């Protein structure tokens, strides 16, 4: 069974204090790994898709990387507006899963001024 | 704003009742997905439609059903509601979804409260 595990569950950072979030996955053939940001009571906001090991993508203070077993989301010099829950999801290659995303439980990030 | 719209935003109903949640995908998107998010379960995939046809099913209860109409909007029907069905229900859409990797864009969600 496909599994996605995110760590830590929660992270409290000072403004400017860089850190990394981890997403470990087991899937029967990875088609893609996705990162989303979710604010309380709102829909997940798409951030990145990673397709193959070694791939990296950046957007403002966020950088996502992928290996064969895990992905990291690096937050560089975070600001209070980066406070959110960050969700990782995988899409498997099996034909019966089609576009289904399997989500992790998320990492809740709080950035204080 | 993702371009995906969902109505209503909030729904309060009693146990045993039936409700319908509506989703309009982004312009040009053919695939629609439904997810349920509760505090103890996280985001769970329910069902996917592509251009009017069901393509994948997740842990969707038999009391729940969905359809996608010719104009590509989708409805999720929840019947014989139980307290445990209280959750946020999200719709997402993507350009395709037939095994290809196209990003899913989520709507703002419908918060269902069953009393």
């Amino acid at each position: 069974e496909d599994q996605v595990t995110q760590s830590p569950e929660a992270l409290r950072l000072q403004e400017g204090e860089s850190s990394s979030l981890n997403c470990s996955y087991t899937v029967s053939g990875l088609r893609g790994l996705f990162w989303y940001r979710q604010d309380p009571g709102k829909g997940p906001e798409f951030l990145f898709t990673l397709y193959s090991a070694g791939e990296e993508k950046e957007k403002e203070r966020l950088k996502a990387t992928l290996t064969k077993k895990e992905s990291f989301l690096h937050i560089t010099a975070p600001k209070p507006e980066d406070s959110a829950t960050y969700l990782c999801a995988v899409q498997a290659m099996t034909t019966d899963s089609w576009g289904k995303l399997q989500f992790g439980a998320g990492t809740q990030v709080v950035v204080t001024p | 704003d993702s371009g995906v719209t969902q109505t209503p935003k909030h729904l309060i109903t009693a146990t045993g009742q039936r409700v319908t949640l509506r989703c309009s995908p982004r312009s040009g998107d053919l695939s629609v997905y439904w997810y349920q998010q509760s505090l103890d379960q996280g985001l769970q995939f329910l069902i996917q439609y592509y251009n009017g046809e069901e393509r994948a099913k997740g842990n969707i209860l038999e009391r729940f059903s969905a359809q996608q109409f010719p104009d590509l909007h989708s409805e999720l029907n929840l019947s014989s509601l139980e307290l445990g069905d209280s959750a946020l229900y999200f719709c997402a859409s993507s350009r395709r979804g037939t095994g290809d990797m196209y990003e899913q864009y989520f709507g703002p969600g419908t918060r269902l409260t069953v009393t």
Side-chain angles (χ1 to χ4, degrees), chain A residues 31-34 36 38 41-46 49-51 57 87 91 95-101 103-104, chain B residues 33 35 37 43-45 48 55-58 88 90 97-109 111:
Chain A
R31 192 179 291 280
L33 185 140
F34 301 76
Y36 286 84
Q38 186 176 26
K42 300 203 171 176
E45 175 190 343
F46 171 77
T49 309
L50 301 166
Y51 301 125
K57 288 198 176 169
L87 298 167
Q91 188 177 60
T95 53
D96 62 350
S97 67
W98 295 103
K100 168 189 172 181
L101 292 181
F103 279 87
Chain B
Y33 312 78
Y35 291 85
Q37 187 174 40
L43 256 173
Q44 299 286 319
F45 170 76
Q48 176 199 359
R55 280 304 173 98
K57 256 186 176 179
L88 270 167
F90 290 106
T98 56
D100 291 87
M101 286 180 297
Y102 281 84
E103 294 92 13
Q104 294 181 25
Y105 292 85
F106 282 75
R111 181 175 293 279

Side-chain angles (χ1 to χ4, degrees), chain A residues 11-78:
Chain A
L11 191 58
R12 192 172 186 88
L13 302 170
Q14 289 280 337
E15 184 172 2
E17 179 189 358
S18 302
S19 188
S20 292
L21 316 183
N22 177 266
C23 171
S24 299
Y25 62 90
T26 53
V27 65
S28 50
L30 179 71
R31 192 179 291 280
L33 185 140
F34 301 76
W35 282 99
Y36 286 84
R37 168 198 169 117
Q38 186 176 26
D39 293 308
K42 300 203 171 176
E45 175 190 343
F46 171 77
L47 294 174
F48 304 109
T49 309
L50 301 166
Y51 301 125
S52 56
E55 190 174 359
E56 299 182 350
K57 288 198 176 169
E58 282 188 73
K59 180 181 179 180
E60 295 180 355
R61 294 176 294 282
L62 300 176
K63 179 179 176 180
T65 62
L66 180 66
T67 71
K68 288 188 177 178
K69 292 185 178 180
E70 57 192 356
S71 176
F72 293 93
L73 184 66
H74 309 277
I75 310 178
T76 302

Side-chain angles (χ1 to χ4, degrees), chain B residues 3-63:
Chain B
V4 178
T5 60
Q6 289 187 248
T7 55
K9 286 187 179 179
H10 302 277
L11 203 47
I12 301 174
T13 189
T15 54
Q17 295 298 305
R18 172 189 170 94
V19 296
T20 298
L21 313 183
R22 182 188 169 104
C23 167
S24 292
R26 295 185 313 160
S27 177
D29 284 1
L30 299 178
S31 211
V32 168
Y33 312 78
W34 286 97
Y35 291 85
Q36 179 192 56
Q37 187 174 40
S38 56
L39 284 174
D40 57 342
Q41 292 288 322
L43 256 173
Q44 299 286 319
F45 170 76
L46 294 178
I47 197 163
Q48 176 199 359
Y49 279 82
Y50 174 72
N51 205 19
E53 293 186 9
E54 181 185 304
R55 280 304 173 98
K57 256 186 176 179
N59 298 324
I60 188 167
L61 300 171
E62 286 191 12
R63 302 183 285 108

